[in-house]
Amino acid sequence: MLRSLRIISPSGFNRTRPRLFSSLRSLTEQDVSHLASILPSTPIISTFSPFNNSKDELDSFNTDWMKKYHGNSTTVVKPRSTEEVSQIVHWCWENRVAIVPQGGNTGLVGGGVPLKDELVINLGNMNKIRSFDPVSGILVAESGCVLESLSEYLAPKGHIMPLDLGAKGSCQIGGNVSTNAGGLRLLRYGSLHGSVLGLEVVLPDGTILDQLSTVRKDNTGYDLKQLFIGAEGTLGIVTGVSILTPAAPKALNNVLLAVPNFSKIIPIFRTVRAHTSEILSAFEFFDRTAYEIVCRHGHRRPFQEDIGDAQCFILLETSGGRKEHDEEKLNDLLGTLMNSEENLITTGVLAQSPFQFASIWAMREGITEALTKEGKTYKYDISIPSGSFKDVIDEIREHLRAQGVYPEGGVKAVLGYGHFGDGNLHLNVVTDGYSPKIASAIEPRIYEIVSRYRGSISAEHGIGSHKTGVLHYSKGEVSRAWMKKIKDLFDERGIMNPGKVII
Ligand code: FAD
Ligand code: MLT
Ligand code: ZN
């Protein structure tokens, strides 16, 4: 039996988790052989004999995308069916072995990697599409389907996924549902709480909960599936997803605007909404620091004109039913913005080809990766009123200056970007390296600021292991107590992703 574990989290908070792993045990060589014998077709990667994989071979399962969180799992299983997931989970329940469900491992809060030596159940082999109804647009897919491959499957059928994110080439639909991922289309198609119609979930004792409904309307009591959307694998393993997919828009356009300063963005947003109304599908923001970083790391500068000291950028997208109609609206909009007496914009580019359209999006989506080339980044994904984005970025920058860590002392840049139309700011602090000193210079100040705005400390990335200790900034005592009751109700043995979300 393991005793209490003292965890020094990468965010710099020292937390003692007395009971978290105390009733759980580590996998042994015999356990892994047993699992292999009862599930011979399930691929296993393990440092134990007879597999004898090296630690390096497990590294990509033990380490997150940012290389900020590191676990020490000895074993990864990659089941091929719900039945196999159920049998593995049931065995873990009986034997009190902790599990980390893992999708594409693109999460940004440490939710998908072990804290210790939990068994990793990776869903990558559950990648079949079960059905698609071209009349209703309802898609039923296994949870390990990669988001981009679902989009590719739907394209010739005239449909799109209701969500899109920069990680689309690796993240899985089960991971998206489990994090309640937001992304670039939320402004138009809403959150997964609306578009997910049903789920199939393996509960912590191995029971299969079949809620894979394919109807749009279902008022038959408590909507249990909602509990698993955003649960980050703490209540069960999602194995199947039924999701409503919108019809593909006939016309897509995007525009990149260089904006003199932040105070212009609210009037621009109002003008854009007034001109584009129902066809507006994205309104994304990034500041000059983010722009310079993404250009420095390989993205071509998009403007032909000199943008002077433009301080921020807006990417707006329209998607509608008729090309000419949408272009007319956009041209009117651009004329209004260019000729505005308040000098709302410095300049803008309207994509003239699918290549330019993709290139404008690549710039926005490329920021996250560009930051990894710049240094090690502390990421804060917060909901606050959109008009206060700049104030919050400036306040943190000045705070770090006062703490003596910026511009010298480890912090290289403080920048912001995000989903302006959704009130979701990604505040990023780029550093020379992760260190408790810098973490404690940023936290809890950032959470205090969010709570002052009555915002959310996690708009779309989740809580993972990063924010378990600071949940109280967004959730009151009563809410946290009920979250814990729900966790205990589903998982009284605490095997399912321990140390994540609520502890
Ligand atoms: P993982 O990282 O593997 O897991 C995430 C969490 O879900 C973990 O807690 C894990 O235990 C749990 N989980 C995974 N699969 C299952 C399952 N089948 N059943 C139960 N639990 C499961 N996020 C956004 O919201 N919006 C964005 O715009 C966005 N852009 C991104 C861009 C980049 C470049 C990167 C690297 C990340 C981005 N993210 C974004 C974060 C991330 O991609 C999302 O959180 C995504 O939904 C995670 O999916 P995944 O399959 O990689 O899950
Ligand atoms: C984004 O909007 O680009 C993603 O949420 C990833 C990030 O925050 O870097
Ligand atoms: Zn985002």
Side-chain angles (χ1 to χ4, degrees):
M1 286 276 182
L2 290 160
R3 281 206 305 279
S4 72
L5 173 76
R6 185 156 182 84
I7 292 172
I8 301 182
S9 84
S11 68
F13 281 63
N14 292 348
R15 295 194 295 266
T16 306
R17 292 177 179 151
R19 291 180 306 277
L20 203 55
F21 285 92
S22 62
S23 60
L24 302 172
R25 71 170 178 81
S26 298
L27 279 173
T28 63
E29 187 170 316
Q30 288 77 4
D31 293 334
V32 179
S33 297
H34 177 72
L35 274 176
S37 70
I38 58 169
L39 292 168
S41 77
T42 301
I44 295 183
I45 306 164
S46 177
T47 52
F48 288 123
S49 180
F51 303 96
N52 298 321
N53 292 105
S54 68
K55 276 194 151 198
D56 286 353
E57 287 171 274
L58 277 104
D59 196 49
S60 62
F61 303 95
N62 270 318
T63 306
D64 74 311
W65 187 87
M66 296 182 292
K67 311 223 178 313
K68 182 178 180 191
Y69 304 93
H70 306 274
N72 206 14
S73 180
T74 58
T75 305
V76 178
V77 289
K78 300 185 81 177
R80 296 185 201 276
S81 67
T82 304
E83 195 48 48
E84 286 184 6
V85 175
S86 163
Q87 287 187 51
I88 297 164
V89 172
H90 178 69
W91 182 89
C92 290
W93 175 260
E94 290 295 314
N95 291 280
R96 294 179 187 268
V97 167
I99 293 168
V100 176
Q102 189 176 77
N105 198 9
T106 65
L108 298 172
V109 289
V113 290
L115 287 173
K116 271 175 82 271
D117 59 355
E118 300 90 301
L119 172 68
V120 174
I121 302 188
N122 182 290
L123 280 302
N125 278 334
M126 291 201 54
N127 54 10
K128 288 187 267 319
I129 288 167
R130 292 192 187 162
S131 65
F132 175 68
D133 176 355
V135 178
S136 63
I138 295 168
L139 171 77
V140 180
E142 289 182 350
S143 59
C145 290
V146 169
L147 180 59
E148 191 168 50
S149 55
L150 292 177
S151 297
E152 284 164 4
Y153 169 84
L154 290 171
K157 298 175 167 52
H159 281 255
I160 58 169
M161 290 298 284
L163 79 163
D164 185 25
L165 21 151
K168 55 179 144 287
S170 305
C171 65
Q172 300 173 3
I173 190 66
N176 300 149
V177 167
S178 302
T179 53
N180 187 23
L184 308 161
R185 288 184 187 152
L186 188 134
L187 183 70
R188 176 66 167 271
Y189 299 109
S191 96
L192 289 173
H193 282 291
S195 45
V196 170
L197 301 178
L199 292 178
E200 177 187 82
V201 183
V202 173
L203 299 177
D205 67 356
T207 308
I208 300 170
L209 174 71
D210 181 355
Q211 293 234 322
L212 214 43
S213 165
T214 50
V215 291
R216 281 197 77 171
K217 300 180 75 175
D218 177 13
N219 272 357
T220 49
Y222 307 134
D223 192 357
L224 293 181
K225 70 168 185 295
Q226 297 294 352
L227 284 173
F228 302 95
I229 302 175
E232 300 178 56
T234 57
L235 300 180
I237 302 189
V238 175
T239 48
V241 177
S242 162
I243 190 164
L244 188 62
T245 69
K250 298 250 178 333
L252 273 172
N253 287 293
N254 66 9
V255 176
L256 187 65
L257 302 173
V259 181
N261 60 58
F262 189 83
S263 70
K264 313 285 186 196
I265 296 188
I266 295 271
I268 293 176
F269 187 43
R270 287 215 176 113
T271 312
V272 167
R273 270 207 307 216
H275 275 75
T276 57
S277 53
E278 81 291 348
I279 61 169
L280 181 65
S281 48
F283 192 95
E284 296 285 314
F285 154 84
F286 46 105
D287 67 13
R288 184 70 185 249
T289 313
Y291 175 84
E292 292 302 335
I293 290 175
V294 77
C295 291
R296 190 149 59 235
H297 296 287
H299 203 284
R300 205 172 55 84
R301 288 183 186 268
F303 300 101
Q304 275 164 3
E305 302 89 348
D306 178 16
I307 58 165
D309 67 348
Q311 290 303 299
C312 20
F313 301 84
I314 292 295
L315 188 170
L316 69 94
E317 183 194 71
T318 60
S319 41
R322 261 190 41 225
K323 198 168 177 304
E324 304 73 30
H325 166 262
D326 294 4
E327 278 172 8
E328 201 179 308
K329 280 188 164 190
L330 265 180
N331 284 327
D332 275 2
L333 166 69
L334 291 178
T336 308
L337 291 175
M338 290 294 223
N339 299 317
S340 68
E341 280 174 11
E342 307 107 287
N343 291 327
L344 287 179
I345 61 171
T346 309
T347 184
V349 271
L350 168 63
Q352 301 293 336
S353 66
F355 175 79
Q356 276 183 10
F357 177 88
S359 159
I360 287 178
W361 265 120
M363 169 157 229
R364 163 63 186 89
E365 293 180 42
I367 298 171
T368 314
E369 190 161 5
L371 292 177
T372 65
K373 296 179 180 149
E374 190 75 5
K376 292 288 181 194
T377 302
Y378 287 90
K379 301 181 81 65
Y380 299 92
D381 155 48
I382 59 181
S383 276
I384 48 170
S386 305
S388 49
F389 281 12
K390 180 172 184 298
D391 292 345
V392 171
I393 300 165
D394 288 349
E395 187 173 340
I396 285 292
R397 188 182 293 113
E398 288 319 306
H399 172 69
L400 294 176
R401 200 190 300 279
Q403 300 277 304
V405 292
Y406 174 79
E408 308 286 312
V411 173
K412 297 167 80 172
V414 181
L415 60 121
Y417 55 95
H419 316 290
F420 189 92
D422 307 323
N424 178 187
L425 171 67
H426 295 310
L427 187 145
N428 285 246
V429 179
V430 187
T431 67
D432 292 330
Y434 294 125
S435 85
K437 183 179 169 211
I438 293 178
S440 55
I442 314 170
E443 304 176 27
R445 175 57 73 97
I446 178 66
Y447 303 122
E448 288 163 3
I449 296 173
V450 172
S451 125
R452 205 168 70 214
Y453 285 99
R454 294 186 63 83
S456 171
I457 60 160
S458 176
E460 59 173 10
H461 295 165
I463 296 298
S465 58
H466 180 189
K467 298 177 203 159
T468 50
V470 292
L471 197 54
H472 61 278
Y473 285 99
S474 283
K475 287 272 196 294
E477 206 179 325
V478 176
S479 303
R480 280 181 283 126
W482 277 95
M483 281 171 71
K484 186 77 177 78
K485 279 189 209 182
I486 290 169
K487 166 70 181 169
D488 292 343
L489 187 65
F490 279 92
D491 184 18
E492 64 181 46
R493 298 188 180 177
I495 66 162
M496 202 51 89
N497 218 359
K500 316 291 169 58
V501 185
I502 185 97
I503 52 178

